[in-house]
Amino acid sequence: HGVSIFEIEKKNGSWQLVKDSRYNRRIHANTPMVITGPAAGHDLMKTEDDPSGTLALGTFNNCANGETPWGTYLTCEENFNGYFGSSSDVDLGTDGKRYGVKSKDSGYQWHKFDKRFDIAKHPQENHRFGWVVEIDPKNPNSTPKKRTALGRFKHENAALTINKDGHVVVYLGDDQRGEHLYKFVSKNRYNPDHQDANRDLLEEGTLYVARFSSASGKVSGRGEWIELTHGKNGLTAVNGFKDQAEVLVFARRAATQVGATTMDRPEWVAVHPSGKQVFCTLTNNKNRGKEGQPVGGPNPRAKNNYGQIVRWQPDNGDHTSMGFSWDLFVMAGNPEVHNDAYAGSPNINKDNMFNSPDGIGFDQAGRLWIQTDGNYSNQGDFAGQGNNQMLCGDPQTGEVRRFLTGPVACEITGLTFSPDYKTMFVGVQHPGEDGAPSHFPYGGNSKPRSTIMMITRDDGGVIGA
C-alpha cells in the first residue's frame, strides 16, 4: 500500500540495510502529494477535503517503476479501484465502470474507516489515483508529485528515455485486458548540465496512444502514435471531452475515441540501451477474440493465455516520431501440449517455455530480462511450465534461456542491478498465495514472505555475461 525507500551498502562482500540512513522512509496512503499538470485544480480533482484539487493524500497499489536521469523515481498506481467502496449503491457512469470503481468493496474495506474511500460520499476521490508519481529518494523532506500529464489508467511502469533532440519520452502500459499502450513526450528538453532544471519536465507535454496495423496473418507491421490533445482527433466537447484535463482523467475513453488498438494487457515497457528498440510485455487476455477485441496484429491469438512480447523501432530512431515498425520478439506457449500457434514462436521449446511475461528490463549490455506472473498450476495448457520464472533473451538472435525459477505460488517481479552489474536484485512477490504450501524465504515452518533476492556469480563477474 505504498512505497518504501531504504538505503543498502556493501560491507565485507555482502549487501546490508543501512538502518539509520537519513533516506529511509515510507510513502503511504496518507502521505501528502502535489497534483501537477493539466488536471491540477480541475473540478474533477476537487474534493471536500481538498477544494483546491491540488493536494492528494497517498499512493497505493503501486506496480512497477521508472528512473529519471535527474535522480528521481517514478512509481505507478495500478489497481487503485479496489480501494474504493460504499455501503450505498452508487452509479459512477460509464467512466467509473471503465476504471472498475464500484460500490462493492474488493476486500480492503477502507471505506468503512476512512470516508474519502466511500464513493457515495466522495465520488471525486478516485480521480486522484491512477497516476504516475515522481519521488525524490535523495531528499527525505521532498513532497511526491502526481504527474497528470502522463494520463490516468492502471499503470504498470514508466520507461523513460532521452530522445536525441533532448525531449523526454516515457512509454506507459495500461494493465487490463483490451486497454492500450501510451507514450508521453515532454514539452521542454533535458539539460544534462543543469539537473535541477529537469525536475518538472514531466509536468508539461503531449500524451499519445498506439495504433498498430499489419497484413492479415502477419505478426509484424507498421504503427502510429495518435495525439490525445483536446480539440484534436475527435477529443471535443461534442464527444464528451470538455478540456484537456478531462482527456487525461479519462484517458481510457480518449484512447477509444481516437481508435487506438486494444492490447493483451500491456505490462512493463523497456527501452534497449541503444535507444533503437522498445519492448512491451503483453501478459495474456482471455477476452481476445470477443467483441471489441479482434484477433490480429500484435494480439494474434484468441483466448490468449500465454502472452507475447511486442517490440517496435521508432522511425529514423526518433522517439518523438509518429510512426514505427513493429514485430513480436516472442510468443509464449507450450510446445509440449500444442502444435499450433499456442505452442509459441520458434524460439520457444520445452526448456524455456513460460506463460504471462510481465516484468522486463535491460542490462547495460542489452540483454533482455523477462519475468513472469502467470499460471503455475503445472497442469493442462501449463503442464511442464512449473512456477513463475525469470528468463534472459537476446534481442539480436531471439534466443531465450531460463535464468531462475521462483518458489511456490509467487510472482517474480522487480529488477535492478548494482552499478557494476555484478549484483542483481529480483523481487519475489506473494509466495504461498491462496494458502499454497510455501515457507520462502526462511524455510522450516515459517510463514512465506515477499522479499528481494540478491544474486551474484561465484566468480564475482557480471550477471548474465
Side-chain angles (χ1 to χ4, degrees):
H1 310 297
V3 176
S4 296
I5 297 172
F6 55 93
E7 181 182 3
I8 60 173
E9 64 179 351
K10 197 170 187 179
K11 279 188 175 183
N12 301 320
S14 64
W15 292 95
Q16 300 175 28
L17 175 69
V18 182
K19 293 185 178 181
D20 58 351
S21 171
R22 63 184 293 266
Y23 301 119
N24 296 347
R25 61 173 167 150
R26 292 178 59 226
I27 295 173
H28 47 73
N30 288 315
T31 300
M33 305 202 167
V34 177
I35 300 171
T36 78
H42 192 271
D43 286 346
L44 288 169
M45 304 292 280
K46 295 177 180 178
T47 65
E48 178 183 321
D49 294 331
D50 176 31
S52 72
T54 60
L55 188 67
L57 289 183
T59 184
F60 42 77
N61 216 279
N62 307 80
C63 189
N65 62 312
E67 183 181 358
T68 74
W70 51 91
T72 58
Y73 173 85
L74 306 176
T75 184
C76 300
E77 297 174 339
E78 190 187 4
N79 298 310
F80 64 91
N81 57 296
Y83 291 73
F84 294 89
S86 181
S87 56
S88 304
D89 190 18
V90 183
D91 182 4
L92 295 181
T94 56
D95 285 314
K97 185 177 181 180
R98 181 73 179 266
Y99 283 87
V101 181
K102 53 190 177 182
S103 302
K104 184 179 179 181
D105 182 81
S106 297
Y108 294 125
Q109 302 186 57
W110 284 17
H111 72 277
K112 295 181 179 180
F113 304 94
D114 188 335
K115 65 179 182 179
R116 68 187 175 105
F117 295 102
D118 188 325
I119 58 172
K121 297 177 181 178
H122 298 280
Q124 304 272 77
E125 182 71 22
N126 77 92
H127 297 157
R128 295 146 71 87
F129 298 90
W131 305 103
V132 172
V133 182
E134 185 169 9
I135 299 170
D136 184 351
K138 294 292 185 68
N139 182 359
N141 299 316
S142 62
T143 301
K145 297 179 179 180
K146 298 208 173 190
R147 298 302 194 183
T148 68
L150 277 66
R152 173 175 168 265
F153 40 88
K154 294 182 179 179
H155 290 275
E156 262 302 294
N157 80 323
L160 186 149
T161 187
I162 304 297
N163 197 48
K164 55 188 178 183
D165 63 0
H167 284 287
V168 175
V169 177
V170 186
Y171 291 101
L172 308 149
D174 184 357
D175 181 15
Q176 192 161 311
R177 300 178 188 97
E179 289 301 336
H180 307 286
L181 181 65
Y182 300 81
K183 82 169 179 181
F184 166 86
V185 179
S186 67
K187 175 183 177 181
N188 298 312
R189 289 178 169 86
Y190 173 70
N191 183 350
D193 300 320
H194 187 17
Q195 293 294 4
D196 286 345
N198 301 314
R199 288 302 174 117
D200 289 320
L201 284 174
L202 302 184
E203 189 165 341
E204 296 181 90
T206 305
L207 189 66
Y208 301 85
V209 67
R211 179 190 288 156
F212 292 78
S213 61
S214 65
S216 178
K218 297 290 186 181
V219 288
S220 62
R222 292 285 300 165
E224 61 179 320
W225 293 103
I226 308 170
E227 187 173 344
L228 297 180
T229 296
H230 185 255
K232 297 183 179 181
N233 300 316
L235 300 175
T236 63
V238 172
N239 290 323
F241 298 93
K242 297 178 182 178
D243 49 36
Q244 182 62 16
E246 193 157 314
V247 170
L248 296 169
V249 172
F250 303 123
R252 285 181 165 181
R253 175 157 54 92
T256 298
Q257 176 66 44
V258 304
T261 299
T262 60
M263 307 293 284
D264 289 349
R265 290 184 58 198
E267 301 246 18
W268 289 46
V269 186
V271 182
H272 190 278
S274 69
K276 296 179 180 179
Q277 293 183 324
V278 190
F279 291 64
C280 177
T281 49
L282 303 175
T283 292
N284 55 55
N285 185 1
K286 65 182 181 182
N287 295 333
R288 179 60 58 187
K290 296 181 180 180
E291 184 179 358
Q293 299 188 42
V295 174
N299 313 284
R301 295 177 291 186
K303 298 180 180 178
N304 176 21
N305 58 4
Y306 291 120
Q308 61 269 7
I309 298 177
V310 62
R311 64 179 168 185
W312 61 94
Q313 299 81 34
D315 289 350
N316 302 313
D318 181 1
H319 290 278
T320 68
S321 64
M322 294 301 101
F324 58 90
S325 57
W326 69 269
D327 69 350
L328 292 184
F329 171 68
V330 64
M331 284 200 301
N334 193 328
E336 295 296 285
V337 174
H338 299 284
N339 57 12
D340 54 10
Y342 295 90
S345 48
N347 51 347
I348 292 299
N349 55 63
K350 66 177 183 179
D351 295 320
N352 69 3
M353 61 181 179
F354 63 94
N355 73 86
S356 302
D358 190 336
I360 54 171
F362 284 100
D363 59 27
Q364 65 177 353
R367 287 176 285 264
L368 179 66
W369 298 91
I370 305 165
Q371 301 173 319
T372 73
D373 176 23
N375 189 304
Y376 44 76
S377 66
N378 210 25
Q379 299 176 355
D381 283 340
F382 309 99
Q385 293 192 335
N387 296 342
N388 278 310
Q389 57 187 282
M390 184 169 175
L391 308 105
C392 188
D394 184 333
Q396 291 186 318
T397 66
E399 181 184 11
V400 177
R401 296 185 186 181
R402 182 176 292 120
F403 177 71
L404 66 82
T405 302
V408 172
C410 82
E411 170 187 356
I412 298 296
T413 183
L415 168 69
T416 193
F417 294 88
S418 58
D420 60 7
Y421 286 85
K422 293 182 178 180
T423 302
M424 172 190 280
F425 301 90
V426 177
V428 177
Q429 187 166 288
H430 60 68
E433 70 174 342
D434 297 328
S438 174
H439 301 287
F440 181 85
Y442 298 116
N445 293 318
S446 64
K447 292 182 179 180
R449 294 189 66 176
S450 297
T451 191
I452 299 170
M453 296 189 295
M454 295 171 285
I455 301 171
T456 57
R457 283 172 50 145
D458 288 343
D459 64 4
V462 171
I463 301 295

